[in-house]
Amino acid sequence: MAASNLLSQTPTIHPTKSAKLSSNLFSVNTSLPLKWKPVSTSVISRFPRASTSEPKPHKFGQCFTKCEGVKVEELMEDVEKRPFYFYCKPQINRNVEAYKEALKGLNSIIGYSIKANNNLKILEHFRSLGCGAVLVSGNELKLALRAGFDPTRCVFNGNGKILGDLVLAAQEGVFVNIDSEFDLENIVAAARIAGKKVNVSLRINPDVDPQVHPYVATGNKNSKFGIRNEKLQWFLDAVKSHPNELKLVGAHCHLRSTITKVDIFRDAAVLMVNYIDEIRSQGFEIDYLNIGGGLGIDYYHTGAVLLTPRDLINTVRELVLSRNLNLIIEPGRSLIDNTCCLVNRVTGVKTNGIKNFIVIDDAYQEGKMPFNYLPTENEELRDLLCQSVQNLINLVKRFKTSIAQHIQNITGSNGHQNVAEQSTYGATTSSGTSSENAEEAMKGKMEEFDQELSKIVGLHDLKQQLRKWAKGILLDEKRRAMGINLGPRKPPHMAFLGNPGTGKTTLARLLGKLLHSIGVLSSDNVIEVQKTDLVAEYLGQTGPKTRKKIEEAMGGILFVDEAYQLVPKQSAAGHVDYGTEALEVIMSVLEDGGLLVVFAGYTEPMKRVFSSNEGFCRRVTHFFHFEDYSCEDLVEMLMIKMSKQDEKSWLYGFKLHPSCTPSAIKSVIKRYSTEKLRNKQNGGLVDNMLNNAIENLDSRLSFESKGDELLTIMLSDLEAGLQSLSKRANVDDETESK
């Protein structure tokens, strides 16, 4: 369509018209491939009634004829490419001036909401009129900076702000609104990365009904925006705990767009100043009240009497002055939407014999209102859409339930009974199972669980804790069978502390299978990562890289090995380490319930991780110390490996000679290995010892050997294997000493 050409070409204006246009009007600027979103007014065609004959040529007329003395019809002839947006610069000036007049006597910032129209030339003009900017994305922040806005007069809103964008905001000194717990954590991380304290406001949800369409209401308790009133103290305490990263300077609420009643703003402002009084009483220096924007406009061009900026400001003026506050407002549509029109041309008229269809040279990509913003007047269409969506939801629910029942019928009471709601942590379903069968199923699962735990050497405290979790989850199944609606259990995030070879990685893999078998996890997937899997070299790359690994682990376990590497002791001069950023990203998802995270590493270096994030010990609640294995533990591990093999094991088929008794193997280990070697390798010593023993077996056999002789490991093989390992360890020690 012609619209696509417009993005790469600048309209041509006749010289005789250029002076007038440059002083009063904005023509379309095409230097950026951006989509603009004004209210459009089309140049439409008069057309004949439906007819089976071909439509005849016709003349068109305009519903929007001129602006500031410039006729649209004449302008259409001057502009080379269509469709195009036609802006009225004097009307923009008048709109801004109306807010300035209303705000006289108050310290204030008019923050233009860039999402209303992000045309670069429009932004530059608002900046020239003294406006600040309101942003909801990193790209809008970059656009505001390009347009020359003072970053200290910009406000970064939204509940989905990402770390890379927040780092840029922190570097530039932008106001940032805190919208949630994880949002606060990301802002703290951004402040640390940028090395600057961030001026923040708390976006409080005042639970005020704005009396607008529910799709655009953001100030009531059902909205996804802002923090709940009862959580205010938690956020204040959290801000206090980060004095080097955060400075609380304001409070913010936003009731949403299309508001047409002034008392709504008044109600919200009264609540907000009460919150500010409470916040100030705790020692915070609150200087700003941000009441958002949201003035309604005349969408239907009926000449409706709407709120003016003066109406809005007068409802809150006394409250603002009584608390000596700076007022921030965030108008968008009320500044831009009555200043422009989308000019297009009818390319033709077609008929299907019943209706006539006007075909024009613009389409949805030119900025039409999204379909989900249905007008409240069209109740029939809206209700039809809502009913269709609900029918789809019901269909999906019935499908999931039928699949769950089908699997339960196949697997019986011992099968996994949490298929229908596996996405919810710790939630299982057991409807239709008799009490006796359910109890038998629980006992069977617990026995299987204990059998798997028996394969773990040592770690008695950890095994006892795992048994508690397993029993609790299984009892929850019985409680749900009684009709009790239980919520999900909190994910037991853990820290595994100990030397290499003590079984941390092996246990994490087994843990995934065990917790999946009893319905704690929806998957037995264990994603093992180290620093190199999470941290990137350049700014803005670590967050996405880390989140990708988190997504891979969803439903299962994210095992962060050598986690202390994320918090280095000291970075080399000039080197920026983004390990802390990766850690902050992981910490931000710990309360979501979608996965279990295990941090592992040496005990002493891991203390850096605990102290680097103040929320670590609150979210990671279980710490397990993996002690170095004793000689007895190593013998037990060796005997388990040799007696409980599977076909995938590299030891499959091999067996020990009867002379290889536990006491004999213990004597070999004590005689041919030092305590230093055992503590350095731990469980790895058993694997290396057996591998070397098989090599020794190979060397002493001939090609004439047959039967069990080919597969039987003698005590002498174990001695030779451990001696070889000790010699190599001694060489390594000598190399390290040099």
Side-chain angles (χ1 to χ4, degrees), residues 559-587:
F559 181 77
V560 186
D561 199 11
E562 297 183 354
Y564 54 85
Q565 296 285 1
L566 298 176
V567 188
K569 288 183 179 179
Q570 186 175 359
S571 299
H575 174 69
V576 180
D577 192 290
Y578 298 110
T580 305
E581 178 184 351
L583 180 61
E584 294 285 353
V585 172
I586 296 173
M587 296 302 296

Side-chain angles (χ1 to χ4, degrees), residues 101 115 180 184 211 247 267 269 282 300 377 400 596:
E101 285 293 323
K115 64 185 178 183
S180 66
L184 184 146
Q211 299 178 33
K247 181 180 181 181
D267 293 343
Q282 299 190 33
Y300 305 103
E377 286 77 6
K400 289 173 67 178
L596 188 152

